[in-house]
Amino acid sequence: MNYEIVIGLETHVELSTESKIFCSCGGHSAAQSPNDCVCPACSGMPGMLPVMNKRVVELAVTAGLMLNCNINRYTTFDKKNYYYPDLPCAYQITQLNHPICTDGCITLKTSAGSRDIRIKQIHMEEDAGKLVHGGNSSYVDFNRTSVPLIEIVTQPDFRSAEEVVTYLNKLKSMFRSGGISECEEGAMRCDVNISVRPEGSSEFGVRTEIKNMSSFEAIERAIRYESQRHIDALEFELEELVQETRRFDDVSGKTFAMRNKETEADYRYFPDANLMPIIIDDEWLEQIKANKPTEVDEKAEQYREAGISDKEVDMLISNHKIGKLLDDTVALGCNAKDTATWILTDCAGILRKDGKTLADLAVTAETLATVIKMVDGGKINRNAGKKVLIAVIEDGVDPEAYCKENKLDRQVDQAAIAGVIDTVLAENARAVEDYKNGKVKAAQALFGACMRELKGAGDPAMIKELLEKKLQEL
Ligand code: ADP
Ligand code: MG
Ligand code: ZN
């Protein structure tokens, strides 16, 4: 029998805010050592009260808009109670009854064609701390406690591991380019729900949930293993499938049962009376919409329309920092396609020589635009522009000062060209004589001789201009 794989995802994404969700501690990425981003509120001291971080709401709404969700104007927090040492309050503040976004949709392009994945909801919640095990002891680090997360829950609409990875990559690009999350390793974590059913069946099979995975490669392997385990269980009746939570072991490539699936009642959810309901009025929503960054698809389309190649578009979309550098440079008046070449070919090449990548690029849009404009404006030629760029990247020089000091600018070019023209005219007395006698074509031969002499180093328009001037003066 053929089986269809059914997958639904719950993805936790750490938000790029300057402070935690309910206190003013810096995010844990600012931490130097364990427990140095911690205050009485986020370490669960009795009597401390949470204060909502407005930015979290704005980023959650922005994510909801990107995923075509309904934005719920009335949204509330609930306490999810469980005891574990990394959770100092013994409850997690999350959203159960009135999540901030519901009923969205995202379109994926996969080898099977275009696929729509429905988003059930997005809710806001706080992260838990971390346990660190060493020697005979376990330590608890609260730096991550109360770091803001959004959890994006899909409907069980995925049918393959490939679709899941395509979805996760798309979320990652969107969230990076939208400033919602940098989605670094560990900042995007998935619970993968899997079941299988005979092809053509309209009922869902028993599902298992693989918890807390952050590597896309591991997710893919886990889905392959777990779906095959389900199929084998049904085909050969080797084991009975039960709804449970499992973990994936990276070394063996297998999944193992952790616990029976807990139900909502196990957590004794109840509304958090310490936090007021949040009302998102029209004015606030409009403001968030106006600040919403261009969406990835739209952005990619803009790049393509500017003549940037598909491969380059992929690089720009998947690397937020580089995409932003391009956008900012273009905003300063440079051509998009040219700028893409300067960044993705020239800068990348210069960095590669030192064993670095574009992630190490520290050039500002202003500096890059200065170099590009010096070339476009004919102040220096492209080769000289490349030399300037090398000095900018390697030594952080000021491009204009560097040009002057190293005599790369047009005046110097002009002097060098004028010298070559004089030589060529002296060596080609015959052609010069012809020109004087009215043979205009002789100028073409002299131009060719100058070009050969300069070995392509000079700007042809400038050579032509200077040569014509000289001939006129004869
Ligand atoms: P719970 O409240 O038990 O967590 P949800 O309805 O919120 O259950 O679903 C959690 C996730 O499991 C969702 O992403 C959903 O799409 C997925 N899911 C639900 N049923 C199935 C199934 N039969 N097979 C695969 N995934 C499923
Ligand atoms: Mg759930
Ligand atoms: Zn704090």
Side-chain angles (χ1 to χ4, degrees):
M1 197 187 298
N2 282 333
Y3 289 89
E4 181 176 57
I5 303 171
V6 174
I7 305 163
L9 288 189
E10 297 162 279
T11 309
H12 297 86
V13 176
E14 205 172 273
L15 299 176
S16 297
T17 54
E18 294 192 353
S19 51
K20 292 185 176 181
I21 183 169
F22 300 123
C23 64
S24 57
C25 292
H28 73 111
S29 50
Q32 306 285 323
S33 50
N35 295 307
D36 68 359
C37 288
V38 172
C39 72
C42 62
S43 58
M45 293 295 150
M48 298 304 297
L49 292 173
V51 178
M52 182 68 205
N53 179 344
K54 189 176 172 194
R55 190 74 192 132
V56 173
V57 179
E58 294 177 345
L59 292 179
V61 169
T62 306
L65 293 169
M66 288 178 146
L67 294 171
N68 308 299
C69 292
N70 290 332
I71 308 300
N72 296 320
R73 307 306 195 86
Y74 175 90
T75 186
T76 58
F77 285 98
D78 301 279
K79 291 180 175 179
K80 177 179 179 178
N81 298 280
Y82 66 97
Y83 177 77
Y84 202 66
D86 68 5
L87 192 72
C89 291
Y91 60 81
Q92 178 196 28
I93 305 178
T94 179
Q95 299 195 283
L96 177 75
N97 294 317
H98 299 281
I100 188 158
C101 310
T102 43
D103 294 329
C105 178
I106 181 172
T107 304
L108 306 179
K109 292 194 177 62
T110 67
S111 59
S114 205
R115 292 267 294 120
D116 283 346
I117 304 296
R118 290 167 302 156
I119 306 293
K120 184 178 171 191
Q121 69 176 58
I122 303 177
H123 57 263
M124 303 178 280
E125 62 186 27
E126 57 179 345
D127 210 342
K130 252 185 197 162
L131 289 183
V132 184
H133 307 285
N136 288 329
S137 309
S138 288
Y139 303 88
V140 56
D141 178 1
F142 290 144
N143 281 338
R144 204 177 67 183
T145 310
S146 270
V147 161
L149 303 176
I150 50 173
E151 178 174 341
I152 303 134
V153 185
T154 75
Q155 296 289 357
D157 287 348
F158 299 97
R159 295 292 175 267
S160 68
E162 185 206 351
E163 287 177 3
V164 168
V165 173
T166 304
Y167 165 83
L168 290 172
N169 274 315
K170 186 158 181 176
L171 275 196
K172 194 167 160 178
S173 308
M174 271 181 157
F175 289 168
R176 278 190 176 175
S177 65
I180 290 176
S181 173
E182 280 308 312
C183 300
E184 316 94 331
E185 184 79 37
M188 194 171 176
R189 307 190 294 269
C190 281
D191 302 338
V192 182
N193 298 271
I194 302 187
S195 63
V196 303
R197 62 182 174 187
E199 226 168 56
S201 155
S202 59
E203 262 165 54
F204 286 135
V206 172
R207 77 180 207 251
T208 53
E209 176 174 7
I210 311 167
K211 274 279 182 204
N212 210 15
M213 287 194 290
S214 56
S215 131
F216 293 2
E217 196 226 329
I219 291 172
E220 211 174 332
R221 288 169 64 214
I223 292 173
R224 299 243 147 80
Y225 173 83
E226 185 65 6
S227 54
Q228 194 57 50
R229 190 181 72 85
H230 282 228
I231 293 170
D232 290 348
L234 297 178
E235 280 285 283
F236 308 116
E237 294 176 359
L238 289 176
E239 56 179 328
E240 193 195 349
L241 288 175
V242 289
Q243 187 173 341
E244 65 187 359
T245 302
R246 299 177 71 86
R247 67 176 177 85
F248 178 66
D249 176 57
D250 210 39
V251 178
S252 62
K254 295 179 177 179
T255 63
F256 295 94
M258 279 167 75
R259 54 180 187 249
N260 289 338
K261 171 85 188 151
E262 53 296 285
T263 64
E264 220 170 276
D266 293 331
Y267 290 118
R268 283 145 180 91
Y269 279 97
F270 58 85
D272 190 333
N274 294 329
L275 285 157
M276 298 287 282
I278 296 167
I279 311 288
I280 302 168
D281 61 14
D282 289 351
E283 197 189 338
W284 194 15
L285 184 60
E286 285 314 310
Q287 207 179 318
I288 299 170
K289 277 186 184 163
N291 290 329
K292 181 169 82 92
T294 321
E295 281 179 49
V296 175
D297 288 346
E298 224 174 279
K299 185 104 228 171
E301 198 47 45
Q302 273 176 15
Y303 287 152
R304 274 187 217 106
E305 274 167 16
I308 299 174
S309 72
D310 285 354
K311 198 174 153 222
E312 288 176 327
V313 170
D314 280 350
M315 289 160 81
L316 292 167
I317 293 291
S318 61
N319 190 329
H320 172 50
K321 202 180 102 184
I322 296 303
K324 185 163 178 347
L325 177 64
L326 180 113
D327 293 347
D328 292 349
T329 309
V330 170
L332 293 169
C334 295
N335 170 284
K337 184 171 155 52
D338 265 2
T339 306
T341 308
W342 278 106
I343 299 174
L344 300 173
T345 306
D346 297 278
C347 292
I350 295 165
L351 290 162
R352 202 176 308 122
K353 281 210 195 87
D354 287 336
K356 294 182 183 160
T357 68
L358 279 173
D360 304 307
L361 186 63
V363 173
T364 64
E366 286 73 20
T367 307
L368 184 61
T370 306
V371 177
I372 296 174
K373 282 180 184 171
M374 286 195 296
V375 174
D376 287 352
K379 189 167 192 286
I380 54 177
N381 66 30
R382 203 179 188 293
N383 281 339
K386 179 83 182 264
K387 274 189 200 150
V388 176
L389 193 64
I390 292 172
V392 163
I393 291 177
E394 291 181 352
D395 307 314
V397 301
D398 172 73
E400 276 164 334
Y402 181 83
C403 271
K404 270 215 188 82
E405 273 161 34
N406 292 277
K407 307 196 190 336
L408 293 172
D409 60 3
R410 187 184 162 97
Q411 275 72 29
V412 179
D413 261 13
Q414 217 160 358
I417 291 168
V420 167
I421 292 174
D422 286 342
T423 314
V424 167
L425 294 185
E427 283 172 357
N428 295 275
R430 187 63 192 277
V432 173
E433 215 39 49
D434 285 349
Y435 178 82
K436 280 208 256 183
N437 293 329
K439 238 180 120 183
V440 189
K441 267 196 178 163
Q444 196 55 39
L446 290 166
F447 173 71
C450 292
M451 290 290 281
R452 275 194 297 281
E453 193 68 26
L454 283 158
K455 298 189 180 72
D459 171 27
M462 193 194 291
I463 299 169
K464 199 159 190 178
E465 189 190 312
L466 291 175
L467 177 64
E468 272 166 11
K469 215 165 129 219
K470 276 263 158 81
L471 287 171
Q472 235 111 79
E473 287 166 1
L474 287 174

